C-alpha cells in the first residue's frame, strides 16, 4: 500500500459527476485486497469504496444534483448487468477508481449518489452510509429478522458492530457479539450487545447456555478469513457454528466475503478453492434454517438510514476511533490489519 499522485478524474459521460472527497474510510473488505485475495488484474489501482464529499463538477444531463451539493458516494452501484464498484480495479466490473483519493468520478450520478441532509447528523455518521451501516443493517435483514428476535453476530469489526447496533435499534431482545479482540467486545457491550469471546470456546456452546433452544437469527459479518477458537484460519468455522447456534426455523445471513476466482496480478493469493467450504448439510436440513446473503449495496436501505442519521435516531459514526491524513493511510492499514484500531477515516 502506497500513496501516489494520480490523474484527477474527468467527466466521461453527461450523467457523471466528480466529487471532491472530504472524508474516506478504510473498510474490512479492503483488507481482503491488502491480503492479496480480492482485487483486479489492472494493478496498480486506487483503493477504497467509502467516501463523502462535495460535487465539484456535474454533467449536463445530471438532474438531481448540482455543484456544491454534499453527498455520499456509495460503494456499489448496479445498473442493468453492469456493477460499478470502487477500489477493486477491474475485479468485479469496470475500473472506476477508488475513494481513498482527493477526487472521485461517479457514473450515473442521479441513481447512484445519496444526498446528505443539511440538518442533523455529522460527517462520520454519513460516511457509514457509503457501506458499513447499510451492510450491517442488511446483514440483519438477510437473517429474516423480526422485532423481539434473539441474534448472534459473528465479528465485532465495523460491520459486525453496526449489525449489532442495527439489530438493537430494530427491536432485538438480545444480541450476542462474537470476537476475540477485547476492545471490540467492549465497544459491542457499550451499545447493548452481550460479548462472547471466541478464545473461551465455541461461540455456539457459550450462547446455548443462555439460549437453550438457540437464537432466532445469526449473521456472519466476517467471511472466509474467519478464525477458529485457536485463532487459526478456518474458512468453514463461522457458517457451521452458526448452524449449531440457530434455532429450528431460524435464519442465517452471510454478508462476510466468500469470493473465489482465478489468480491474477491483484489477487496473488486467490484460488478457485477459496470460498469452497465443508458444510454440515445434515444439521442444516434437520433445523430447516434459511440462509441468505451476498453483497449489499449502499442504497438498499435508503432513504431509511439517511433519515435515521438526519433525525439523530442513529449515530453509527461511533465506530470510528482514528482519523488520519492520506499520507498516513499505509500505516493506518497496518494498524487496522493488526486490529489495533476499530475503524479509520481519512480526512482530506
Amino acid at each position: 500500500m502506497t500513496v501516489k499522485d494520480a490523474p484527477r478524474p474527468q467527466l466521461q459521460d453527461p450523467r457523471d459527476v466528480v466529487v471532491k472527497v472530504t472524508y474516506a474510510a478504510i473498510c474490512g473488505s479492503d483488507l481482503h485486497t491488502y491480503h492479496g485475495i480480492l482485487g483486479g488484474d489492472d494493478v496498480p489501482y486506487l483503493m477504497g469504496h467509502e467516501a463523502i464529499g462535495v460535487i465539484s463538477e456535474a454533467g449536463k444531463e445530471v438532474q438531481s444534483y448540482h455543484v456544491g451539493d454534499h453527498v455520499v458516494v456509495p460503494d456499489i452501484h448496479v445498473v442493468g448487468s453492469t456493477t460499478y464498484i470502487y477500489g477493486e480495479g477491474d475485479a468485479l466490473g469496470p475500473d472506476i477508481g477508488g475513494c481513498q483519493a482527493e477526487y472521485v468520478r461517479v457514473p450515473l450520478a442521479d441513481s447512484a449518489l445519496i444526498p446528505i441532509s443539511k440538518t442533523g447528523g455529522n460527517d462520520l455518521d454519513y460516511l457509514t452510509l457509503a457501506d458499513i451501516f447499510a451492510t450491517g443493517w442488511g446483514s440483519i435483514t438477510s437473517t429474516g429478522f423480526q422485532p423481539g428476535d434473539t441474534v448472534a453476530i459473528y465479528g465485532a469489526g465495523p460491520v459486525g458492530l453496526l449489525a449489532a447496533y442495527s439489530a438493537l435499534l430494530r427491536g432485538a431482545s438480545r444480541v450476542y457479539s462474537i470476537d476475540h479482540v477485547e476492545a471490540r467486545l467492549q465497544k459491542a457491550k457499550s451499545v447493548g450487545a452481550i460479548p462472547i469471546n471466541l478464545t473461551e470456546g465455541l461461540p455456539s456452546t457459550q450462547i446455548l447456555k443462555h439460549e437453550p433452544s438457540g437464537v432466532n437469527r445469526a449473521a456472519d459479518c466476517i467471511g472466509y478469513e474467519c478464525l477458529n477458537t485457536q485463532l487459526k484460519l478456518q474458512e468453514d468455522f463461522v457458517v457451521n457454528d452458526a448452524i449449531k447456534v440457530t434455532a429450528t426455523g431460524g435464519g442465517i445471513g452471510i454478508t462476510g466475503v466468500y469470493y473465489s476466482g482465478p489468480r491474477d496480478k491483484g489477487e496473488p493469493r486467490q484460488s478457485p478453492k477459496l470460498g469452497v467450504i465443508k458444510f454440515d448439510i445434515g444439521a442444516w436440513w434437520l433445523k430447516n434454517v434459511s440462509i441468505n446473503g451476498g453483497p449489499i449495496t449502499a442504497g438498499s436501505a435508503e432513504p431509511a438510514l439517511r433519515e435515521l442519521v438526519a433525525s439523530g435516531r442513529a449515530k453509527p459514526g461511533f465506530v470510528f476511533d482514528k482519523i488520519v491524513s492520506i499520507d498516513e493511510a499505509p500505516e493506518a492499514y497496518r494498524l487496522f490489519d493488526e486490529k489495533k484500531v476499530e475503524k479509520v477515516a481519512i480526512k482530506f
Side-chain angles (χ1 to χ4, degrees), residues 202-282:
L202 288 173
S204 55
T205 300
Q206 296 185 60
I207 294 170
L208 287 169
K209 291 178 180 177
H210 305 283
E211 310 285 345
S213 298
V215 294
N216 303 113
R217 314 291 166 187
D220 175 1
C221 296
I222 303 174
Y224 59 8
E225 287 198 272
C226 58
L227 306 178
N228 60 25
T229 56
Q230 286 75 48
L231 304 186
K232 303 294 185 183
L233 284 168
Q234 183 181 332
E235 289 181 44
D236 64 353
F237 178 78
V238 166
V239 171
N240 286 299
D241 197 67
I243 292 170
K244 293 176 183 177
V245 81
T246 304
T248 298
I252 296 172
I254 302 175
T255 48
V257 174
Y258 289 86
Y259 170 77
S260 63
R263 184 175 299 167
D264 58 35
K265 293 178 183 177
E267 301 168 330
R269 293 182 54 223
Q270 181 55 258
S271 163
K273 295 182 179 179
L274 281 177
V276 179
I277 66 173
K278 293 181 179 180
F279 176 70
D280 190 345
I281 193 169

Side-chain angles (χ1 to χ4, degrees), residues 11-18 57-59 62 105-109:
L11 299 175
Q12 297 180 18
D13 184 281
R15 297 167 294 177
D16 292 353
V17 303
V18 173
E57 298 177 67
V62 176
R105 180 177 70 91
V106 182
L108 302 166

Side-chain angles (χ1 to χ4, degrees), residues 22-65:
T22 54
Y23 280 95
I26 301 175
C27 184
S29 56
D30 289 333
L31 294 182
H32 297 312
T33 307
Y34 189 65
H35 296 157
I37 60 174
L38 179 63
D41 192 46
D42 57 334
V43 294
Y45 49 81
L46 296 171
M47 288 289 294
H49 56 262
E50 299 172 290
I52 61 172
V54 179
I55 294 175
S56 61
E57 298 177 67
K60 62 182 180 181
E61 292 184 16
V62 176
Q63 301 294 316
S64 303
Y65 298 94

Side-chain angles (χ1 to χ4, degrees), residues 283-335:
W284 165 78
W285 185 85
L286 284 171
K287 283 190 165 186
N288 191 26
V289 169
S290 67
I291 299 179
N292 294 291
I296 293 174
T297 61
S300 61
E302 291 301 332
L305 300 190
R306 185 188 64 205
E307 294 300 327
L308 285 169
V309 167
S311 68
R313 183 72 178 86
K315 298 181 179 180
F318 77 89
V319 296
F320 289 97
D321 58 355
K322 191 171 183 65
I323 300 175
V324 301
S325 69
I326 188 62
D327 290 326
E328 298 172 293
E331 173 65 6
Y333 264 91
R334 183 187 67 80
L335 293 172

